[in-house]
Structures are given as C-alpha cells and as structure tokens.
Amino acid sequence: MTYVLKSKNKTLELSKPIIMGILNATPDSFSDGGQFNTYETACQHADEMIEQGAKIIDIGGESTRPGAPDVSLEKELARVIPVIKHVSHKDVWISIDTSKPEVMKQAVEAGAHLINDVRALQEPGALEMAASLDVPVCLMHMQGTPRTMQTAPKYQDVIEDIAAFFEERIKACIDAGIKREHIILDPGFGFGKTLEHNLAILKYQKEFHRFDSPVLIGLSRKSMFKHLLDRDVDERLAGSLAGALISAQQGAHIIRVHDVAETADVLAVVEACQ
C-alpha cells in the first residue's frame, strides 16, 4: 500500500522504500559517536546524506545505546536546534529523534517535520505535545529503558508482544488527538531484544503491516550483526545492507541507516527488479 505523509505543507510519498539518514549530534552514540558532534561536521554530514539520496534526515542529540546516560534538556537543544535550522533550508524532510516534549516543540518550530521517539510518546507530556504540533510521529517499541533494555529481555512471542504494544500506543495517540495517518511504527531492532528476537523481527516484519501504517526499520550497524557475524561496529556494512534488502522486499517504507549511498544502491537494484 502507498502512504503519503503530510507535514507543514510538505508531502512525502512512500510508494517505495525511502532512506532516513542518521545524524547523531552526540559524543557517545554506539556507531558514530563524536564524529558529527560539532555544528560544522554535523551540517556537512547532513548535506552529504542528502546528496547521496536520503529523503529524511533524523537528527538526535541524546544517545540511546545500551547503558546510555540521560542528557539534559539544555544540552540536547544545543546539539540539535542549530543543525535543524541548517537542514531546514534543504529540500528534505527533517526528523527529530527525541523523547522530550520541549525538544519536540522547539525542533518543529525550527523546521522539523517528524517526531521519532524511541519511547513511543510515553514520557510525561509527550502525547499532548505531539498532538499539538500536528506532525507525523514514529512510535518505536523498546522493552525497558536504554540503561536496562539489554538485561535479559524476554517475550512470550516477540512479534505478537510488539503488535500488542503498537495497538495500545496507537489507541493512546488517537485518544490524545494525533491523526491516524500521522502514525509510523518501528519494531525497535536492538532495543530490548536478543539476537533471536531481532532475527524473528527481520524475518516476520510483514506482520506489522496489519496496522495499516508505514513501517520504519532501523537495524543499521546494530549489535545483532556483532553477535551473528562477529563483526565490530565499523565492519557491519554488509550485514546492514542485507537487512535493508530483506526489509525492502518485505515492504518496509522507511529504512533508517548510517550508510546512505550504499543503501541507495541496494534499493535501486530492488526497484529495478520489481
């Protein structure tokens, strides 16, 4: 099914998989922490990803890697708002990767079109803020918190447990006044999941299309490839591309990646064979 996202007089057609480029303006993200945590390097990297084919730039100022510490509101704003303002002059959608209502507000005011929340708008005031901003939201599944999520995660059935979570959060969003067509779903690879859980999600991700919402897949460079392939974080490109290929074949709408150019090549090959 083709979805069309609308935000602030911009539209984004999801008739084929599109790329969301990751921009971590942080010193401690699991893969690229510290590489783009100055204004100049962050802006340059955003420009590069746009040129390589990213349709969305996902800007985050707080690491959500396992064990990551909390970041103050002031520090997170200082990291993301200047970069959002720079990217807002480009022909691209901007996503703000945050769970803080005030960051959502200031990010949208600065030019962001989409809220990408790993906590699925469960922080106090987040639902109400997202509803008031009237932009699309991505609800990600996470078991636990970034500090605790990889401490022996357990599920009765990982696919059905995530589906139940989505059902509950979709209802909460609609009850808060968020438009149904503004909801995007992310099963949350690596967020409270073992390798077996992650592989099950990769294999059966089509199950999440039952909710009639766009599905976002983010498995780029994640530790599942360390456990599966025994690869360090800078050696996971092949695994990440394989995951992107499988996700595209299963109907994923947005693929969130670090390696935009290489993923764009994979998706071009997939499209050529449709």
Side-chain angles (χ1 to χ4, degrees), residues 6 45 75 110 113 120 148 154 170 229 249 257 264 266 271:
K6 297 181 180 181
H45 188 52
K75 186 173 289 186
H113 307 93
T148 65
K154 294 181 180 179
I170 290 170
L229 306 171
Q249 291 174 327
V257 303
V266 168
E271 184 181 5

Side-chain angles (χ1 to χ4, degrees), residues 61-64 69-77 79-80 96-108 115-127 129-130 133:
E62 179 178 19
S63 173
T64 51
D70 295 334
V71 171
S72 71
L73 171 63
E74 294 74 16
K75 186 173 289 186
E76 188 173 345
L77 287 169
R79 290 173 176 175
V80 301
I96 177 62
D97 181 356
T98 190
S99 298
K100 295 184 177 71
E102 184 61 24
V103 176
M104 297 174 189
K105 177 177 182 291
Q106 293 197 34
V108 171
I115 296 167
N116 182 20
D117 185 3
V118 300
R119 294 173 177 85
L121 302 178
Q122 294 182 93
E123 290 294 290
L127 270 173
M129 179 60 75
L133 294 171

Side-chain angles (χ1 to χ4, degrees), residues 16-19 189 201-203 205-206 209 217-220 224-225 236-257 259 262-274:
K16 60 182 180 181
I18 66 167
I19 295 172
F189 282 92
I201 296 168
L202 183 60
K203 185 175 181 180
Q205 61 186 268
K206 272 187 177 179
H209 295 302
I217 295 298
L219 42 63
S220 178
M224 61 182 289
F225 300 117
R236 298 175 191 170
L237 175 60
S240 300
L241 294 177
L245 172 62
I246 293 169
S247 298
Q249 291 174 327
Q250 293 218 33
H253 302 92
I254 303 171
I255 301 178
R256 182 179 182 272
V257 303
D259 304 290
E262 294 86 350
T263 307
D265 285 351
V266 168
L267 296 184
V269 173
V270 172
E271 184 181 5
C273 295
Q274 296 300 314

Side-chain angles (χ1 to χ4, degrees), residues 38-146:
T38 68
Y39 174 76
E40 292 77 12
T41 55
C43 292
Q44 180 181 2
H45 188 52
D47 293 347
E48 290 172 350
M49 291 192 291
I50 294 167
E51 185 176 338
Q52 291 168 349
K55 301 300 183 185
I56 308 172
I57 302 297
D58 189 42
I59 300 172
E62 179 178 19
S63 173
T64 51
R65 62 180 172 77
D70 295 334
V71 171
S72 71
L73 171 63
E74 294 74 16
K75 186 173 289 186
E76 188 173 345
L77 287 169
R79 290 173 176 175
V80 301
I81 298 301
V83 183
I84 291 172
K85 289 180 177 178
H86 168 82
V87 180
S88 69
H89 298 291
K90 311 290 182 178
D91 184 20
V92 68
W93 273 50
I94 301 169
S95 168
I96 177 62
D97 181 356
T98 190
S99 298
K100 295 184 177 71
E102 184 61 24
V103 176
M104 297 174 189
K105 177 177 182 291
Q106 293 197 34
V108 171
E109 289 173 350
H113 307 93
L114 165 67
I115 296 167
N116 182 20
D117 185 3
V118 300
R119 294 173 177 85
L121 302 178
Q122 294 182 93
E123 290 294 290
L127 270 173
E128 295 78 10
M129 179 60 75
S132 72
L133 294 171
D134 194 29
V135 298
V137 297
C138 183
L139 309 174
M140 196 197 77
H141 175 273
M142 171 170 55
Q143 187 178 96
T145 68

